[in-house]
Amino acid sequence: MTLHLAGAAWVLPLAAVLLALSGLISLYRLLRGPSRPDRAVAIDALTLLAVAAMALLCLMRGEALFIDVAVLLALVSFLGTAAFAFLFDDAHSQMPEKSEERP
């Protein structure tokens, strides 16, 4: 089964360039991020960009080889994001509570 996309000659390469640019921006945030949650979000963004790149590669080649890998990577990325959320929630809950006393 072949799939013909309208405008595929310029849309798919443009999407690849935009994915690469987004990857560079996310990599910059991963390396320079001022806090650990910023770095965790950058890792999550990079994995989602990898899923999008695999889907784009499938469209460019006309093969559905990497779709299963992309779905698996998306599921693992979700589990990693949930783990980071629990990690940062635990660190936040150990902070002292503000007193709500009024004068």
Side-chain angles (χ1 to χ4, degrees), residues 54-72:
M54 286 182 200
L56 186 65
L57 184 66
C58 288
L59 283 174
M60 285 180 159
R61 290 183 153 202
E63 300 173 1
L65 181 66
F66 290 114
I67 292 295
D68 295 333
V69 177
V71 169
L72 182 64

Side-chain angles (χ1 to χ4, degrees), residues 1-97:
M1 179 171 150
T2 15
L3 177 67
H4 298 285
L5 298 173
W10 64 274
V11 171
L12 296 179
L14 177 66
V17 168
L18 291 176
L19 278 174
L21 182 64
S22 298
L24 289 175
I25 292 170
S26 295
L27 188 63
Y28 174 77
R29 179 52 53 200
L30 177 65
L31 297 175
R32 298 281 305 190
S35 65
R36 292 185 319 163
D38 289 334
R39 289 185 171 102
V41 169
I43 289 172
D44 189 43
L46 284 172
T47 56
L48 291 178
L49 285 171
V51 169
M54 286 182 200
L56 186 65
L57 184 66
C58 288
L59 283 174
M60 285 180 159
R61 290 183 153 202
E63 300 173 1
L65 181 66
F66 290 114
I67 292 295
D68 295 333
V69 177
V71 169
L72 182 64
L73 182 60
L75 289 172
V76 170
S77 173
F78 169 74
L79 293 176
T81 302
F84 276 126
F86 284 123
L87 175 74
F88 295 137
D89 185 45
D90 184 45
H92 187 281
S93 66
Q94 293 175 357
M95 294 178 65
E97 298 280 329

